[in-house]
Amino acid sequence: QQQVRQSPQSLTVWEGETAILNCSYENSAFDYFPWYQQFPGEGPALLIAIRSVSDKKEDGGFTIFFNKREKNLSLHIKDSQPGDSATYFCAASEGGRALIFGTGTTVSVSP
Amino acid sequence: GPKVLQIPSHQIIDMGQMVTLNCDPVSNHLYFYWYKQILGQQMEFLVNFYNGKVMEKSKLFKDQFSVERPDGSYFTLKIQPTALEDSAVYFCASSLRTGGTGQLYFGEGSKLTVL
């Protein structure tokens, strides 16, 4: 059973638009939710993270919206640029245990 | 930023052979991980390692897999014997604090092809 799910699997937006990536999870005990960005041929890198006590986290053009009751969260990429084209992974962990990654969303930003 | 180095970047071996994947983690990090990725898709957790011991492992961490970090040198993943389904990119990661709360730094991956 997939513990962390992401949608859509892929997404294309125009430069300047806001890309919205969705993530949902099963385990209500998850309390830490980082998003990782991965470019082809590289390892993932931490982009932004939120803890379950918060409902929103902003960092530059990236914002996480978190809904604990619904067990879902979303990553908004504002003013998307071609350099934001990458695969984005939502991840979750419980009480300091290992991160469980979602299935990923591949974002393409067209100029 | 901090770098995790992985060696080799790509290895091709015959099914049944042994393979060792090496990871040079960030120097002051204490927690080490291996993840498996197939076709650029989901990163699947295999194992984490702290203070010389396996702390947590997933169902994917089969009996044929082992990890160690002898004398603070490379953190290694050994697969013996390999199977066709072991073909994947294996990512090593390290963190200063436990990965559930600390930032994981990933290497660029070791692509393993089992024929």
Side-chain angles (χ1 to χ4, degrees):
Chain A
Q1 184 184 11
Q2 183 61 44
Q3 292 195 62
V4 180
R5 293 190 179 89
Q6 290 184 246
S7 65
Q9 185 173 357
S10 62
L11 176 65
T12 300
V13 297
W14 294 106
E15 184 173 352
E17 288 186 332
T18 296
I20 300 175
L21 290 65
N22 301 301
C23 178
S24 63
Y25 59 95
E26 300 286 329
N27 185 353
S28 56
F30 284 150
D31 56 10
Y32 174 66
F33 302 89
W35 285 82
Y36 278 77
Q37 180 188 56
Q38 184 180 29
F39 296 105
E42 298 183 10
L46 179 66
L47 187 64
I48 185 173
I50 194 168
R51 298 194 184 279
S52 58
V53 294
S54 301
D55 56 15
K56 183 180 175 182
K57 178 78 175 288
E58 257 182 290
D59 187 351
F62 300 95
T63 304
I64 299 174
F65 294 93
F66 178 68
N67 187 324
K68 188 172 183 176
R69 187 174 57 88
E70 299 291 329
K71 292 195 283 188
N72 61 43
L73 59 159
S74 61
L75 174 70
H76 290 223
I77 306 174
K78 197 167 55 175
D79 188 23
S80 299
Q81 299 298 309
D84 295 325
S85 297
T87 298
Y88 292 81
F89 290 99
C90 172
S93 70
E94 168 195 349
R97 296 185 64 190
L99 275 179
I100 303 300
F101 281 75
T103 46
T105 294
T106 299
V107 175
S108 298
V109 182
S110 298
Chain B
K3 293 280 189 190
V4 173
L5 299 176
Q6 290 190 239
I7 301 167
S9 57
H10 191 184
Q11 182 142 10
I12 302 172
I13 60 171
D14 291 322
M15 183 175 63
Q17 285 190 310
M18 181 193 77
V19 67
T20 300
L21 305 179
N22 300 291
C23 172
D24 187 10
V26 178
S27 60
N28 61 336
H29 283 185
L30 303 174
Y31 297 83
F32 313 109
Y33 311 82
W34 285 102
Y35 282 82
K36 176 181 180 181
Q37 187 177 48
I38 297 177
L39 297 176
Q41 298 303 310
Q42 185 179 356
M43 296 283 290
E44 298 187 283
F45 169 72
L46 289 176
V47 65
N48 67 357
F49 190 84
Y50 169 74
N51 198 26
K53 293 193 289 272
V54 170
M55 300 300 292
E56 191 180 353
K57 60 184 179 181
S58 73
K59 292 178 190 173
L60 294 177
F61 193 77
K62 305 178 294 185
D63 291 343
Q64 297 90 324
F65 288 34
S66 62
V67 290
E68 63 175 358
R69 191 182 187 214
D71 300 325
S73 59
Y74 284 152
F75 176 51
T76 63
L77 173 66
K78 184 185 293 186
I79 309 174
Q80 180 180 28
T82 51
L84 294 176
E85 61 265 28
D86 296 330
S87 294
V89 179
Y90 290 84
F91 286 94
C92 173
S94 69
S95 65
L96 186 57
R97 301 194 309 272
T98 178
T101 54
Q103 179 175 351
L104 264 62
Y105 290 85
F106 284 86
E108 294 191 341
S110 292
K111 183 176 181 180
L112 176 65
T113 302
V114 182
L115 302 175

PDB file of all heavy atoms in Angstrom, chain B residues 40-51:
ATOM      1  N   GLY B  40      13.572   6.677 -12.633  1.00  0.00           N
ATOM      2  CA  GLY B  40      13.327   8.057 -12.244  1.00  0.00           C
ATOM      3  C   GLY B  40      12.039   8.267 -11.476  1.00  0.00           C
ATOM      4  O   GLY B  40      11.587   9.401 -11.311  1.00  0.00           O
ATOM      5  N   GLN B  41      11.473   7.178 -11.004  1.00  0.00           N
ATOM      6  CA  GLN B  41      10.211   7.272 -10.279  1.00  0.00           C
ATOM      7  C   GLN B  41      10.454   7.299  -8.768  1.00  0.00           C
ATOM      8  O   GLN B  41      11.436   7.844  -8.311  1.00  0.00           O
ATOM      9  CB  GLN B  41       9.284   6.131 -10.713  1.00  0.00           C
ATOM     10  CG  GLN B  41       8.919   6.182 -12.182  1.00  0.00           C
ATOM     11  CD  GLN B  41       8.274   7.503 -12.566  1.00  0.00           C
ATOM     12  OE1 GLN B  41       7.333   7.970 -11.910  1.00  0.00           O
ATOM     13  NE2 GLN B  41       8.763   8.132 -13.601  1.00  0.00           N
ATOM     14  N   GLN B  42       9.556   6.675  -8.038  1.00  0.00           N
ATOM     15  CA  GLN B  42       9.555   6.804  -6.584  1.00  0.00           C
ATOM     16  C   GLN B  42      10.875   6.409  -5.938  1.00  0.00           C
ATOM     17  O   GLN B  42      11.508   5.427  -6.300  1.00  0.00           O
ATOM     18  CB  GLN B  42       8.450   5.923  -6.021  1.00  0.00           C
ATOM     19  CG  GLN B  42       8.259   6.039  -4.534  1.00  0.00           C
ATOM     20  CD  GLN B  42       7.149   5.158  -4.050  1.00  0.00           C
ATOM     21  OE1 GLN B  42       6.476   4.512  -4.840  1.00  0.00           O
ATOM     22  NE2 GLN B  42       6.953   5.119  -2.759  1.00  0.00           N
ATOM     23  N   MET B  43      11.278   7.203  -4.966  1.00  0.00           N
ATOM     24  CA  MET B  43      12.439   6.871  -4.142  1.00  0.00           C
ATOM     25  C   MET B  43      11.960   5.926  -3.042  1.00  0.00           C
ATOM     26  O   MET B  43      11.137   6.294  -2.213  1.00  0.00           O
ATOM     27  CB  MET B  43      12.994   8.139  -3.482  1.00  0.00           C
ATOM     28  CG  MET B  43      13.532   9.160  -4.447  1.00  0.00           C
ATOM     29  SD  MET B  43      15.140   8.690  -5.042  1.00  0.00           S
ATOM     30  CE  MET B  43      16.133   8.919  -3.569  1.00  0.00           C
ATOM     31  N   GLU B  44      12.495   4.724  -3.037  1.00  0.00           N
ATOM     32  CA  GLU B  44      12.046   3.735  -2.050  1.00  0.00           C
ATOM     33  C   GLU B  44      13.114   3.529  -0.976  1.00  0.00           C
ATOM     34  O   GLU B  44      14.265   3.203  -1.274  1.00  0.00           O
ATOM     35  CB  GLU B  44      11.723   2.428  -2.755  1.00  0.00           C
ATOM     36  CG  GLU B  44      10.578   2.583  -3.765  1.00  0.00           C
ATOM     37  CD  GLU B  44      10.141   1.267  -4.352  1.00  0.00           C
ATOM     38  OE1 GLU B  44      10.857   0.750  -5.226  1.00  0.00           O
ATOM     39  OE2 GLU B  44       9.093   0.758  -3.925  1.00  0.00           O
ATOM     40  N   PHE B  45      12.700   3.692   0.248  1.00  0.00           N
ATOM     41  CA  PHE B  45      13.613   3.559   1.382  1.00  0.00           C
ATOM     42  C   PHE B  45      14.072   2.117   1.527  1.00  0.00           C
ATOM     43  O   PHE B  45      13.276   1.179   1.469  1.00  0.00           O
ATOM     44  CB  PHE B  45      12.895   4.016   2.661  1.00  0.00           C
ATOM     45  CG  PHE B  45      13.638   3.683   3.921  1.00  0.00           C
ATOM     46  CD1 PHE B  45      14.794   4.365   4.269  1.00  0.00           C
ATOM     47  CD2 PHE B  45      13.167   2.691   4.771  1.00  0.00           C
ATOM     48  CE1 PHE B  45      15.476   4.059   5.435  1.00  0.00           C
ATOM     49  CE2 PHE B  45      13.840   2.380   5.942  1.00  0.00           C
ATOM     50  CZ  PHE B  45      14.997   3.064   6.274  1.00  0.00           C
ATOM     51  N   LEU B  46      15.375   1.948   1.729  1.00  0.00           N
ATOM     52  CA  LEU B  46      15.922   0.615   1.984  1.00  0.00           C
ATOM     53  C   LEU B  46      16.323   0.461   3.442  1.00  0.00           C
ATOM     54  O   LEU B  46      15.862  -0.440   4.145  1.00  0.00           O
ATOM     55  CB  LEU B  46      17.154   0.368   1.102  1.00  0.00           C
ATOM     56  CG  LEU B  46      16.919   0.174  -0.392  1.00  0.00           C
ATOM     57  CD1 LEU B  46      18.253   0.036  -1.118  1.00  0.00           C
ATOM     58  CD2 LEU B  46      16.055  -1.044  -0.650  1.00  0.00           C
ATOM     59  N   VAL B  47      17.212   1.369   3.897  1.00  0.00           N
ATOM     60  CA  VAL B  47      17.802   1.162   5.214  1.00  0.00           C
ATOM     61  C   VAL B  47      18.381   2.467   5.736  1.00  0.00           C
ATOM     62  O   VAL B  47      18.773   3.338   4.955  1.00  0.00           O
ATOM     63  CB  VAL B  47      18.922   0.096   5.109  1.00  0.00           C
ATOM     64  CG1 VAL B  47      20.065   0.589   4.236  1.00  0.00           C
ATOM     65  CG2 VAL B  47      19.432  -0.356   6.468  1.00  0.00           C
ATOM     66  N   ASN B  48      18.402   2.608   7.077  1.00  0.00           N
ATOM     67  CA  ASN B  48      19.203   3.674   7.646  1.00  0.00           C
ATOM     68  C   ASN B  48      20.107   3.111   8.726  1.00  0.00           C
ATOM     69  O   ASN B  48      19.857   2.048   9.301  1.00  0.00           O
ATOM     70  CB  ASN B  48      18.376   4.870   8.103  1.00  0.00           C
ATOM     71  CG  ASN B  48      17.473   4.584   9.276  1.00  0.00           C
ATOM     72  OD1 ASN B  48      17.397   3.468   9.757  1.00  0.00           O
ATOM     73  ND2 ASN B  48      16.773   5.603   9.730  1.00  0.00           N
ATOM     74  N   PHE B  49      21.171   3.830   8.990  1.00  0.00           N
ATOM     75  CA  PHE B  49      22.313   3.312   9.732  1.00  0.00           C
ATOM     76  C   PHE B  49      22.825   4.417  10.635  1.00  0.00           C
ATOM     77  O   PHE B  49      22.998   5.564  10.207  1.00  0.00           O
ATOM     78  CB  PHE B  49      23.378   2.916   8.707  1.00  0.00           C
ATOM     79  CG  PHE B  49      24.559   2.140   9.221  1.00  0.00           C
ATOM     80  CD1 PHE B  49      24.487   0.772   9.370  1.00  0.00           C
ATOM     81  CD2 PHE B  49      25.758   2.777   9.500  1.00  0.00           C
ATOM     82  CE1 PHE B  49      25.584   0.032   9.805  1.00  0.00           C
ATOM     83  CE2 PHE B  49      26.863   2.053   9.937  1.00  0.00           C
ATOM     84  CZ  PHE B  49      26.777   0.678  10.079  1.00  0.00           C
ATOM     85  N   TYR B  50      23.054   4.075  11.878  1.00  0.00           N
ATOM     86  CA  TYR B  50      23.533   5.070  12.840  1.00  0.00           C
ATOM     87  C   TYR B  50      24.380   4.378  13.889  1.00  0.00           C
ATOM     88  O   TYR B  50      24.007   3.289  14.372  1.00  0.00           O
ATOM     89  CB  TYR B  50      22.337   5.793  13.490  1.00  0.00           C
ATOM     90  CG  TYR B  50      22.701   6.641  14.686  1.00  0.00           C
ATOM     91  CD1 TYR B  50      23.361   7.853  14.519  1.00  0.00           C
ATOM     92  CD2 TYR B  50      22.400   6.224  15.982  1.00  0.00           C
ATOM     93  CE1 TYR B  50      23.702   8.634  15.613  1.00  0.00           C
ATOM     94  CE2 TYR B  50      22.749   6.994  17.079  1.00  0.00           C
ATOM     95  CZ  TYR B  50      23.392   8.202  16.893  1.00  0.00           C
ATOM     96  OH  TYR B  50      23.745   8.965  17.972  1.00  0.00           O
ATOM     97  N   ASN B  51      25.475   4.973  14.215  1.00  0.00           N
ATOM     98  CA  ASN B  51      26.339   4.466  15.293  1.00  0.00           C
ATOM     99  C   ASN B  51      26.698   2.996  15.075  1.00  0.00           C
ATOM    100  O   ASN B  51      26.690   2.204  16.034  1.00  0.00           O
ATOM    101  CB  ASN B  51      25.621   4.662  16.635  1.00  0.00           C
ATOM    102  CG  ASN B  51      26.566   4.583  17.812  1.00  0.00           C
ATOM    103  OD1 ASN B  51      27.758   4.851  17.684  1.00  0.00           O
ATOM    104  ND2 ASN B  51      26.041   4.193  18.962  1.00  0.00           N
TER     105      ASN B  51
END
